[in-house]
Amino acid sequence: MIRRAAFTLFAWLCLTCVGLAQTPAITFPVLTGRVVDEAGLLTTSDRASLTASLADLEAKTTAQLVVVTLKSLQGTTIEGYGYQLGRHWGIGQKDKDSGALLIVATAERKVRIEVGYGLEGTLTDAATKLIIENAILPAFKTGDFAGGIKSGTDQIVQLLRGDAGSAPPAQLRTAAPARSSTTMPVWLVIVLGVGGVGLLIYCAIAGGAACRGIMQLLFLLALSGRSGSSSGRSSSFSGGGGSFGGGGSSGSW
């Protein structure tokens, strides 16, 4: 019975690795600053003014907000891409998860405000939806991308700073339900797969108590995994290790 369970787990690991091999890898832009304009929608002056505003926000509230424009989502949804990008860059303080992203994907005509765990009580789904619908999309629909980005960024900054009279209605600032994510990082799945093969071979040969202990360890490792890594940071600005779980809202024009 133990050997049958071992080979069943081995087969599952093999299928998981095959699925990962068939899934195109997503590439992320380098975090070169508080504004990453891959799609080229902003002028030098636009980027400078946004960067100054975002730096001032972090200095006064510790919240990190990054504006990013993308040429393409590489076949993924903006929701899937958004939280992975936030985790990859590690936006927000690690102990507070106080990060947020304003993402614009030109090829798919999508925009999203991605919210870190720690800011979901302020940047609620309802509040971010209002910002997208009222401050960003009207400008985007007329081709004024820079105007929409600056207007949306201003609204997010004002909400995070708690400026009176400038934020969405107070009733929209109620705490949002906490989100969790069971997505395991690719590197961890690969490590588990390779290590699991060796352990299962040993398990099938050794049997007994040693096998049962290994099986329990593998199942515990398979259920644990949560991505919190970040890379590709510049020397002048970097994320603080914050994490994301899919909070925020999206829109299209």
Side-chain angles (χ1 to χ4, degrees), residues 1 3 9 11 16 39 45 57 91 98 101 110 115 120 127 138 148-149 155-156 160 190 206 215 229 234 246-247 252:
M1 181 177 178
R3 292 187 178 183
L9 181 58
T16 300
S45 176
L57 171 69
I91 302 303
S98 54
L101 301 171
K110 297 286 186 180
V115 182
E120 289 183 349
I149 290 171
Q155 288 292 310
I156 298 171
L160 289 174
I190 293 175
M215 291 293 294
S229 62
S234 67
S252 58

Short mmCIF file of all heavy atoms in Angstrom, two decimals, residues 1 3 9 11 16 39 45 57 91 98 101 110 115 120 127 138 148-149 155-156 160 190 206 215 229 234 246-247 252:
data_model
loop_
_atom_site.label_atom_id
_atom_site.label_comp_id
_atom_site.label_asym_id
_atom_site.label_seq_id
_atom_site.Cartn_x
_atom_site.Cartn_y
_atom_site.Cartn_z
N MET A 1 0.83 -1.21 0.00
CA MET A 1 0.00 0.00 0.00
C MET A 1 0.86 1.25 0.00
O MET A 1 0.56 2.25 -0.67
CB MET A 1 -0.91 -0.02 1.23
CG MET A 1 -1.83 1.20 1.32
SD MET A 1 -2.94 1.09 2.73
CE MET A 1 -3.80 2.65 2.57
N ARG A 3 3.93 1.51 -1.12
CA ARG A 3 4.58 1.65 -2.42
C ARG A 3 3.62 2.19 -3.47
O ARG A 3 3.98 2.99 -4.32
CB ARG A 3 5.16 0.31 -2.86
CG ARG A 3 6.32 -0.16 -2.00
CD ARG A 3 6.97 -1.40 -2.56
NE ARG A 3 8.10 -1.82 -1.75
CZ ARG A 3 8.88 -2.85 -2.05
NH1 ARG A 3 8.63 -3.57 -3.14
NH2 ARG A 3 9.90 -3.17 -1.27
N LEU A 9 2.14 9.40 -6.03
CA LEU A 9 2.70 10.74 -5.85
C LEU A 9 3.76 11.03 -6.90
O LEU A 9 3.85 12.14 -7.42
CB LEU A 9 3.30 10.87 -4.44
CG LEU A 9 3.91 12.23 -4.09
CD1 LEU A 9 2.88 13.34 -4.24
CD2 LEU A 9 4.48 12.21 -2.67
N ALA A 11 3.84 9.88 -9.94
CA ALA A 11 3.15 10.17 -11.19
C ALA A 11 2.60 11.59 -11.20
O ALA A 11 2.67 12.30 -12.20
CB ALA A 11 2.02 9.17 -11.41
N THR A 16 2.94 17.23 -13.14
CA THR A 16 3.09 18.65 -12.81
C THR A 16 4.26 19.26 -13.55
O THR A 16 4.17 20.35 -14.10
CB THR A 16 3.29 18.83 -11.29
OG1 THR A 16 2.15 18.31 -10.61
CG2 THR A 16 3.47 20.30 -10.94
N ALA A 39 5.80 50.54 -22.41
CA ALA A 39 5.02 50.83 -23.62
C ALA A 39 5.28 52.22 -24.18
O ALA A 39 4.79 52.56 -25.26
CB ALA A 39 3.53 50.66 -23.32
N SER A 45 9.06 64.30 -18.76
CA SER A 45 8.47 65.16 -17.74
C SER A 45 7.38 64.43 -16.96
O SER A 45 7.29 64.56 -15.73
CB SER A 45 7.87 66.41 -18.39
OG SER A 45 7.22 67.22 -17.44
N LEU A 57 4.85 59.98 -1.49
CA LEU A 57 3.88 59.09 -0.87
C LEU A 57 4.55 58.09 0.06
O LEU A 57 4.12 57.89 1.19
CB LEU A 57 3.09 58.33 -1.94
CG LEU A 57 2.19 57.20 -1.44
CD1 LEU A 57 1.01 57.76 -0.67
CD2 LEU A 57 1.71 56.33 -2.61
N ILE A 91 7.00 44.66 -4.26
CA ILE A 91 6.60 46.02 -3.95
C ILE A 91 5.91 46.07 -2.58
O ILE A 91 5.06 45.25 -2.27
CB ILE A 91 5.66 46.57 -5.04
CG1 ILE A 91 6.35 46.51 -6.40
CG2 ILE A 91 5.23 48.00 -4.71
CD1 ILE A 91 7.67 47.27 -6.47
N SER A 98 2.68 46.58 2.03
CA SER A 98 2.08 47.87 1.71
C SER A 98 2.44 48.34 0.29
O SER A 98 3.00 49.41 0.10
CB SER A 98 2.54 48.92 2.73
OG SER A 98 3.97 48.95 2.79
N LEU A 101 0.21 48.54 -7.47
CA LEU A 101 0.66 48.77 -8.84
C LEU A 101 -0.48 49.35 -9.66
O LEU A 101 -1.63 48.92 -9.51
CB LEU A 101 1.10 47.45 -9.50
CG LEU A 101 2.23 46.65 -8.86
CD1 LEU A 101 2.34 45.29 -9.56
CD2 LEU A 101 3.54 47.38 -8.96
N LYS A 110 -6.08 46.90 -21.50
CA LYS A 110 -6.49 46.61 -20.14
C LYS A 110 -5.75 47.50 -19.16
O LYS A 110 -4.59 47.87 -19.38
CB LYS A 110 -6.19 45.14 -19.78
CG LYS A 110 -6.95 44.12 -20.61
CD LYS A 110 -8.41 44.05 -20.21
CE LYS A 110 -9.14 42.92 -20.92
NZ LYS A 110 -10.57 42.85 -20.53
N VAL A 115 -3.37 45.47 -5.70
CA VAL A 115 -3.24 45.93 -4.31
C VAL A 115 -2.60 44.85 -3.45
O VAL A 115 -3.04 43.69 -3.45
CB VAL A 115 -4.62 46.31 -3.74
CG1 VAL A 115 -4.48 46.84 -2.31
CG2 VAL A 115 -5.30 47.35 -4.63
N GLU A 120 -5.37 46.40 1.33
CA GLU A 120 -6.71 46.03 0.85
C GLU A 120 -7.83 46.68 1.65
O GLU A 120 -8.95 46.84 1.14
CB GLU A 120 -6.87 44.50 0.86
CG GLU A 120 -6.04 43.83 -0.21
CD GLU A 120 -6.25 42.32 -0.24
OE1 GLU A 120 -6.87 41.79 0.70
OE2 GLU A 120 -5.81 41.69 -1.21
N ALA A 127 -13.33 50.83 -4.30
CA ALA A 127 -12.64 52.11 -4.47
C ALA A 127 -11.77 52.11 -5.72
O ALA A 127 -11.75 53.08 -6.49
CB ALA A 127 -11.81 52.42 -3.23
N PRO A 138 -11.98 57.30 -18.91
CA PRO A 138 -12.43 58.38 -19.79
C PRO A 138 -11.30 59.00 -20.60
O PRO A 138 -11.47 59.30 -21.79
CB PRO A 138 -13.04 59.39 -18.80
CG PRO A 138 -13.52 58.55 -17.66
CD PRO A 138 -12.47 57.49 -17.52
N GLY A 148 -4.70 59.96 -18.28
CA GLY A 148 -5.39 58.95 -17.49
C GLY A 148 -4.50 58.35 -16.42
O GLY A 148 -4.94 58.12 -15.28
N ILE A 149 -3.25 58.11 -16.76
CA ILE A 149 -2.32 57.54 -15.78
C ILE A 149 -2.07 58.51 -14.64
O ILE A 149 -2.09 58.13 -13.46
CB ILE A 149 -0.99 57.16 -16.48
CG1 ILE A 149 -1.20 55.97 -17.40
CG2 ILE A 149 0.09 56.84 -15.44
CD1 ILE A 149 -0.02 55.65 -18.29
N GLN A 155 -5.42 59.93 -7.74
CA GLN A 155 -6.51 59.44 -6.91
C GLN A 155 -6.04 58.35 -5.95
O GLN A 155 -6.45 58.32 -4.79
CB GLN A 155 -7.63 58.89 -7.80
CG GLN A 155 -8.42 59.93 -8.55
CD GLN A 155 -9.25 60.78 -7.60
OE1 GLN A 155 -9.98 60.28 -6.75
NE2 GLN A 155 -9.15 62.09 -7.74
N ILE A 156 -5.17 57.47 -6.42
CA ILE A 156 -4.64 56.42 -5.54
C ILE A 156 -3.81 57.04 -4.42
O ILE A 156 -3.93 56.67 -3.24
CB ILE A 156 -3.79 55.42 -6.34
CG1 ILE A 156 -4.64 54.70 -7.39
CG2 ILE A 156 -3.15 54.39 -5.40
CD1 ILE A 156 -3.83 53.87 -8.37
N LEU A 160 -4.52 56.85 -0.37
CA LEU A 160 -3.55 56.27 0.56
C LEU A 160 -3.10 57.27 1.61
O LEU A 160 -2.80 56.90 2.75
CB LEU A 160 -2.34 55.74 -0.21
CG LEU A 160 -2.58 54.48 -1.05
CD1 LEU A 160 -1.35 54.14 -1.88
CD2 LEU A 160 -2.95 53.30 -0.16
N ILE A 190 9.73 22.67 -9.11
CA ILE A 190 10.82 21.92 -9.75
C ILE A 190 11.70 21.24 -8.70
O ILE A 190 12.07 20.07 -8.83
CB ILE A 190 11.66 22.85 -10.64
CG1 ILE A 190 10.81 23.33 -11.82
CG2 ILE A 190 12.91 22.14 -11.15
CD1 ILE A 190 11.49 24.35 -12.70
N ALA A 206 13.40 1.19 0.57
CA ALA A 206 13.56 1.03 2.02
C ALA A 206 12.29 0.54 2.69
O ALA A 206 12.32 -0.38 3.51
CB ALA A 206 13.99 2.37 2.65
N MET A 215 6.99 10.23 3.09
CA MET A 215 5.71 10.56 2.47
C MET A 215 5.07 11.75 3.17
O MET A 215 4.54 12.66 2.54
CB MET A 215 4.78 9.36 2.54
CG MET A 215 5.20 8.20 1.63
SD MET A 215 5.07 8.61 -0.11
CE MET A 215 3.30 8.78 -0.27
N SER A 229 9.31 36.16 -3.42
CA SER A 229 10.60 36.56 -3.92
C SER A 229 10.50 37.77 -4.82
O SER A 229 9.47 38.09 -5.36
CB SER A 229 11.24 35.42 -4.71
OG SER A 229 10.46 35.09 -5.81
N SER A 234 16.50 47.79 -9.42
CA SER A 234 17.56 48.73 -9.71
C SER A 234 18.25 49.14 -8.42
O SER A 234 17.75 48.90 -7.33
CB SER A 234 16.97 49.97 -10.39
OG SER A 234 16.16 50.67 -9.47
N GLY A 246 -3.98 39.17 -5.18
CA GLY A 246 -5.03 39.33 -6.18
C GLY A 246 -6.04 40.41 -5.89
O GLY A 246 -7.05 40.53 -6.57
N GLY A 247 -5.80 41.26 -4.87
CA GLY A 247 -6.71 42.35 -4.56
C GLY A 247 -6.64 43.46 -5.58
O GLY A 247 -5.58 43.71 -6.16
N SER A 252 -11.20 47.96 -18.99
CA SER A 252 -10.73 47.93 -20.38
C SER A 252 -11.32 49.11 -21.13
O SER A 252 -12.35 49.66 -20.74
CB SER A 252 -11.11 46.62 -21.06
OG SER A 252 -12.51 46.42 -21.03
#
